[in-house]
């Protein structure tokens, strides 16, 4: 191995560490903003924006209780698995002008798989915690996972397929191709409508991925007292909280990459370093707007759904919308 | 039971319950097969405490039976004592009593609406309703000095007058509720998000409600036109033409589900506003209490002998107080029955066949007040085990006690 390749290897390790830490910090920060905005929408004062950080540190020094009935290695392993798989997604996502760390090795299909991992970890953790509340929560999480996967995959596949039709020979599911070729530019008016439907699908899938109201049925505080998370405390709960915060960034970024990959620097005719800084700032603004509509707004405006209602909302209603989106895209290509 | 069922306990401590109460559920998948109630975790011995106090002290004890119904219990208690001792209440006091009781109904129903929304995971509506509720609490504080536990009732009248200066402030509150009523109706009765979680959920049929002797909004939502203010009008209610509100006023049909219970309570807020307006327009002049000197009143009560029953339509249903005076400082018997006691058994037909997700909203839908309801807990002192008595045991005990008292 040559010196330069070792150097790149070390650089990549440092990069992963940096991205993991930054992802966590940005996630917790956006969580704080989300809580503050929700509070303002509900005419409350709300917690300070640094509250999720305080919660995290508090949870880290609290006792980590493993129930007697639990299977300890699964129970303790689940939160780690959830966090690791979520942070892994960050390595494959481009953040505005910054290309993904592992841009050449992973694609959208991998991200879809990795997105399912935290839910799977929650299910295993819930079942292994030996509580009936957690078991019901885990059953619900499983049902929900199976329900929202179809619309999510529909969105991803349709976008990839359309990109492939427009640019044969491109690595279609690579995120770099999505961010350099925005979907809005390559479709006609009907396809534009289809893309809006697909965007809607992705926006509605996000609350379930992040398990917030109205799709927080697996955790359902007033019914199941926290559901899958009911037995988790201390460090393990803190890891799940982190997972959720990072997942928020992931879902927001995914929406941005797939639908709004635009940069602001060409508009301001900047170049070089200032352009880079402006684009990064612009990315954060986009993330803020996207997360506001995907998370805060939805959770303030709706009541929690029952599991059968949530499941049919995804499997029937949202899948149909996704398929109509596909139809529009296909018709748009044919005519 | 087949092997596919499993048991989950809800309570005594659970996020959906404000007070300790245990439900044992047998569940298949997400569906409730059987439910068993285990009350008795919140017994405070209030009636026993009352038997060691004089009548005027008990008013304040009665007020603390329930934090939300803190006008209803003293109202019913005062009426019971007045009934037993033959005390006349001046008309102005009757009107003021009704105003306080109806203001309490407004705050209680809006409080309940907020809790119901929270049980559905709809926190925005919780904050909205509780913000709307602040207005009436501020008014109650102005009129009585307290946001809850008003300390307004006295045997033979009320303790504070409603003066000319209060009237504009009361009218301002009434106008506020007339304006916000439309908001409440839009949020609770026209919002699809609440409708899909509450329609056809927790159904209590007309027959079941009659059979289980449900009271208050729970019974009215099942179509029973039962309201003491209508059936046996008392105080200022007798001067008004009050109609028991049933959900068909709004939807044209009675289903007896949770949504109907929301309708009844929201409509009753509007009804209360009308009642208070009538009372303000027709407030008679005169005394506010028949005997302002407490020592003299107490002397009269000490010499009184007889039984009395006082009833009042509390926000949750009919509250009944029974008192037996026997020419002594303390009453011989004081019995308080809170409306939740009647509505408790309605939970069983409501919950059977529902899903786990419906448990919080269905239990909340009767507006339970466990602390008001728990009158007796039987505990074996050696083993510290709670006992459950059957109907036969209770009849035997009742006969024994009646014999004892007749001696």
């Amino acid at each position: 191995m040559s010196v330069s390749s070792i150097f790149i290897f070390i650089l990549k390790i440092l990069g992963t560490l940096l991205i993991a830490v930054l992802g966590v910090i940005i996630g917790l920060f956006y969580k704080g903003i989300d809580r503050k905005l929700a509070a303002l929408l509900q005419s409350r004062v709300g917690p300070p924006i640094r509250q999720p950080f305080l919660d995290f540190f508090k949870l880290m020094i609290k006792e980590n209780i493993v129930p007697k009935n639990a299977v300890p290695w699964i129970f303790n392993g689940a939160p780690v698995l959830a966090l690791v798989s979520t942070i892994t997604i960050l390595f494959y996502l481009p953040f505005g002008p910054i290309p993904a760390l592992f841009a050449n090795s992973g694609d959208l299909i991998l991200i879809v798989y990795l997105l399912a991992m935290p839910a799977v970890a929650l299910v295993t953790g819930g079942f292994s915690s030996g509580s009936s509340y957690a078991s019901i929560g885990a059953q619900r999480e499983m049902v929900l996972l199976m329900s929202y996967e179809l619309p999510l995959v529909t969105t991803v596949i349709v976008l990839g397929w359309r990109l492939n039709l427009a640019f044969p020979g491109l690595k279609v599911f690579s995120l770099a191709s999505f961010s350099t070729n925005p979907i809005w530019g390559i479709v006609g008016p009907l396809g534009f409508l289809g893309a809006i439907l697909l965007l809607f699908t992705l926006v509605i899938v996000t609350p379930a991925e992040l398990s917030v109201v109205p799709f927080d049925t697996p955790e359902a505080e007033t019914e199941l007292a926290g559901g899958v998370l009911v037995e988790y405390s201390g460090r393990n709960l803190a890891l799940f909280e982190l997972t959720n915060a990072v997942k928020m960034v992931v879902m927001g970024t995914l929406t941005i990459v797939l639908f709004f990959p635009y940069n602001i620097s060409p508009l301001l005719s900047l170049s070089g370093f200032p352009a880079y800084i402006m684009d990064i700032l612009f990315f954060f603004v986009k993330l803020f707007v996207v997360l506001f509509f995907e998370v805060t707004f939805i959770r303030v405006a709706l009541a929690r759904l029952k599991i059968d209602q949530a499941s049919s909302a995804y499997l029937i209603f949202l899948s149909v919308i996704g398929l109509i989106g596909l139809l529009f895209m296909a018709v748009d290509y044919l005519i | 039971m087949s092997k596919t069922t499993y048991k989950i306990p809800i309570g005594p401590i659970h996020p959906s319950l404000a007070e300790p109460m245990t439900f044992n559920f047998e569940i298949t998948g997400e569906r409730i097969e059987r439910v068993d109630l285990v009350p008795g975790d919140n017994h405070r011995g209030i009636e026993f405490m009352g038997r060691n106090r004089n009548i005027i002290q008990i008013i304040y004890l009665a007020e603390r039976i329930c934090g939300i119904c803190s006008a209803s219990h003293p109202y019913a208690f005062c009426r019971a004592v007045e009934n037993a001792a033959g005390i006349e209440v001046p008309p102005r006091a009757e009107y003021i009593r009704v105003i306080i009781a109806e203001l309490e109904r407004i705050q209680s129903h809006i409080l309940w609406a907020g809790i119901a929304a929270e049980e559905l995971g709809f926190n925005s509506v919780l904050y909205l309703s509780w913000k709307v509720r602040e207005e009436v609490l501020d008014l109650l504080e102005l009129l009585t000095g307290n946001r809850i536990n008003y300390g307004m009732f006295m045997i033979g009248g009320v303790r504070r007058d409603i003066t000319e200066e209060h009237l504009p402030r009361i009218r301002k509150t009434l106008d506020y509720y007339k304006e916000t009523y439309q908001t409440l109706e839009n949020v609770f009765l026209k919002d699809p998000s609440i409708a899909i979680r509450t329609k056809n959920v927790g159904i209590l049929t007309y027959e079941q409600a009659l059979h289980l002797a449900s009271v208050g909004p729970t019974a009215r939502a099942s179509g029973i036109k039962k309201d003491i203010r209508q059936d046996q009008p008392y105080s200022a209610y007798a001067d008004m033409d009050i109609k028991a509100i049933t959900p068909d006023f709004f939807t044209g049909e009675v289903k007896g589900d949770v949504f109907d219970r929301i309708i009844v309570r929201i409509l009753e807020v509007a009804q209360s506003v009308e009642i208070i307006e009538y009372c303000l327009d027709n407030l008679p002049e005169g005394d506010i209490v028949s005997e302002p000197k407490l020592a003299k009143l107490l002397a009269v009560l000490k010499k009184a002998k007889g039984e009395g029953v006082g009833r009042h339509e509390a926000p949750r249903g009919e509250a009944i107080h029974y008192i037996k005076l026997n020419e002594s400082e303390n009453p011989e018997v004081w019995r308080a029955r809170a409306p939740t006691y009647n509505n408790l058994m309605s939970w069983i037909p409501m919950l059977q066949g529902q899903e786990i997700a419906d448990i919080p909203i269905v239990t909340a839908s009767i507006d339970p007040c466990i602390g008001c309801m728990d009158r007796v807990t039987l505990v074996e002192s050696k083993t510290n085990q709670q006992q459950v008595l059957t109907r036969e045991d209770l009849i035997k005990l009742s006969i024994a006690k009646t014999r004892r008292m007749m001696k």
Side-chain angles (χ1 to χ4, degrees), chain B residues 64-253:
Chain B
R64 279 150 186 81
I65 288 179
C66 178
I68 306 301
C69 303
S70 50
S72 302
H73 283 286
Y75 199 159
F77 175 75
C78 287
R79 278 173 41 77
V81 174
E82 284 150 13
N83 182 235
I87 296 172
E88 278 286 316
V89 182
R92 187 175 176 85
E94 298 278 31
Y95 272 73
I96 295 175
R97 282 181 175 187
V98 167
I99 291 173
I100 300 298
E102 292 305 315
L103 286 175
E104 179 199 72
R105 193 182 314 280
I106 294 176
Q107 68 95 348
S108 173
H109 281 346
I110 296 178
L111 172 103
W112 175 83
I115 292 174
E118 196 212 0
E119 306 283 16
L120 294 173
F122 205 164
N123 282 354
S124 307
V125 174
L126 162 74
Y127 296 121
L128 173 82
S129 352
W130 284 27
K131 194 177 131 198
V132 169
R133 177 176 172 250
E134 280 303 302
E135 177 71 24
V136 67
L137 288 179
D138 287 348
L139 175 64
L140 279 166
E141 190 179 4
L142 180 83
L143 294 180
T144 70
N146 294 310
R147 283 158 61 90
I148 53 162
N149 291 348
Y150 315 112
M152 193 69 170
F153 287 81
M154 178 48 62
I155 310 293
V158 289
R159 291 184 60 226
R160 288 172 182 234
D161 199 3
I162 291 181
T163 60
E164 281 296 318
E165 297 139 36
H166 291 142
L167 294 181
R169 180 67 180 76
I170 302 177
R171 290 201 190 276
K172 190 189 137 225
T173 302
L174 296 182
D175 290 340
Y176 174 79
Y177 282 107
K178 276 186 206 156
E179 279 162 30
T180 41
Y181 174 75
Q182 203 51 48
T183 317
L184 287 178
E185 198 179 287
N186 286 342
V187 165
F188 283 99
L189 307 184
K190 292 178 181 162
D191 185 83
S193 193
I194 288 183
I196 57 168
R197 287 294 311 272
T198 54
K199 278 191 177 162
N200 297 318
V201 167
I203 291 179
L204 183 73
T205 61
Y206 183 86
E207 287 75 26
Q208 284 166 339
L210 265 187
H211 177 67
L212 295 167
S214 305
V215 291
T218 313
R220 291 198 280 277
S222 297
I224 301 177
K225 292 193 179 293
K226 181 160 137 184
D227 189 327
I228 312 174
R229 295 174 297 169
Q230 167 199 281
D231 302 335
Q232 290 177 329
Y234 49 95
S235 295
Y237 294 122
D239 299 346
M240 284 167 256
D241 186 25
I242 293 171
K243 288 266 176 299
I245 288 183
T246 44
D248 49 333
F249 288 16
F250 189 77
T251 54
E253 56 171 344

Side-chain angles (χ1 to χ4, degrees), chain A residues 89-95 98-101 111 175 250 253-254 257:
Chain A
I89 306 175
L90 289 177
F91 306 146
Y92 297 101
L93 285 173
F95 295 96
I98 313 168
L101 193 65
I111 288 178
L175 285 145
V250 166
T253 313
L254 196 61
V257 171

